[in-house]
Amino acid sequence: MDGLIIALTNAWVVAFLLIVGSVTFVWQLYDARFSWKGTISFLCFLLFFSTHLAAGLTGIGAFILFAVGLILLTIELFVPGGIIGFVGLGTLVASIFLTAKHSPFITLSLAVAIASALITMLLLNKVFKKRMVLFQKIVLTDRQSNEKGYVSHAARFDLVGKRGYALTVLRPSGTALIENERVDVVTEGEYIERNRPLEVVRVDGLKVVVREIKQ
């Protein structure tokens, strides 16, 4: 066990865990559902904190902050709004900095990890045209809707032809997930059950009109 702890607290292994954990964490933020990216990120940070704690390189405070951050991010998966997620994210970052202060190399590794995460974010935004789900929750919850859906202030003609599924029952209005984005939608009059696949058929002003995809 001691040999494993020594190996996992090796400077280069620590750098690898922080970089991979940070990149996959940011990547996960662009998915509406928890995926393999979140699993890899969780394992990387869990190994980082647990081995440093076992080796006596950090205190229990950093580990507690890490655990609190994970709990808050888990709550964010079930509670819309985004605020809890940002608090959890800040708590995770604080726990890493608390651990990093014990080693200049960890500090450098953390800087490289943050740079890698920012590059990943830039690629996802600019090249792959993805939007961070967490930011969407913050920006879009100020908009009132009948079924707590999310829409932008401008007409969303870019959604026409896009597909997704119903997050709530549509009778006829409700919330749908379209390309990882929560959108306040309305049907053409029909009732659509939750989790049914649908397609955006047109946009009337601020109304995003959808139709169920028959299978």
Side-chain angles (χ1 to χ4, degrees), residues 147 165-170 173-176 192-195:
E147 299 290 342
Y165 65 92
L167 286 177
T168 66
V169 174
L170 307 183
S173 63
T175 305
I192 299 179
E193 295 182 353
R194 184 180 180 186
N195 294 325

Side-chain angles (χ1 to χ4, degrees), residues 70-209:
L70 288 180
I71 292 173
L72 292 176
L73 288 174
T74 301
I75 294 175
E76 178 60 37
L77 295 176
F78 304 97
V79 180
I83 299 296
I84 296 176
F86 270 102
V87 174
L89 178 60
T91 304
L92 285 179
V93 173
S95 66
I96 296 174
F97 273 105
L98 190 60
T99 301
K101 71 177 183 179
H102 298 286
S103 170
F105 189 86
I106 295 180
T107 303
L108 177 61
S109 300
L110 181 58
V112 175
I114 293 175
S116 301
L118 291 175
I119 292 173
T120 301
M121 187 183 301
L122 184 64
L123 288 174
L124 291 172
N125 282 336
K126 301 300 183 181
V127 179
F128 296 99
K129 306 300 182 183
K130 289 182 173 291
R131 295 183 179 182
M132 189 178 291
V133 176
L134 199 58
F135 279 118
Q136 290 173 11
K137 290 182 178 182
I138 288 292
V139 173
L140 300 176
T141 48
D142 289 336
R143 184 62 184 252
Q144 300 296 320
S145 65
N146 291 333
E147 299 290 342
K148 297 183 181 179
Y150 298 91
V151 297
S152 66
H153 291 279
R156 297 300 306 275
F157 295 107
D158 58 302
L159 294 176
V160 176
K162 301 294 179 62
R163 295 189 173 189
Y165 65 92
L167 286 177
T168 66
V169 174
L170 307 183
R171 48 178 179 232
S173 63
T175 305
L177 188 72
I178 302 173
E179 294 202 339
N180 290 331
E181 181 180 357
R182 290 173 178 263
V183 182
D184 187 29
V185 299
V186 62
T187 71
E188 294 177 301
E190 72 272 23
Y191 175 93
I192 299 179
E193 295 182 353
R194 184 180 180 186
N195 294 325
R196 297 297 299 171
L198 48 79
E199 180 180 6
V200 178
V201 293
R202 68 179 185 275
V203 174
D204 295 334
L206 295 179
K207 288 185 179 180
V208 178
V209 184

Side-chain angles (χ1 to χ4, degrees), residues 32-82:
R33 295 181 176 181
F34 191 81
S35 66
W36 60 268
K37 310 175 192 71
T39 302
I40 292 177
S41 179
F42 169 76
L43 291 176
C44 285
F45 286 117
L46 180 62
L47 285 173
F48 170 74
F49 283 104
S50 60
T51 53
H52 278 73
L53 180 63
L57 298 175
T58 189
I60 191 66
F63 193 81
I64 292 176
L65 280 177
F66 171 69
V68 170
L70 288 180
I71 292 173
L72 292 176
L73 288 174
T74 301
I75 294 175
E76 178 60 37
L77 295 176
F78 304 97
V79 180

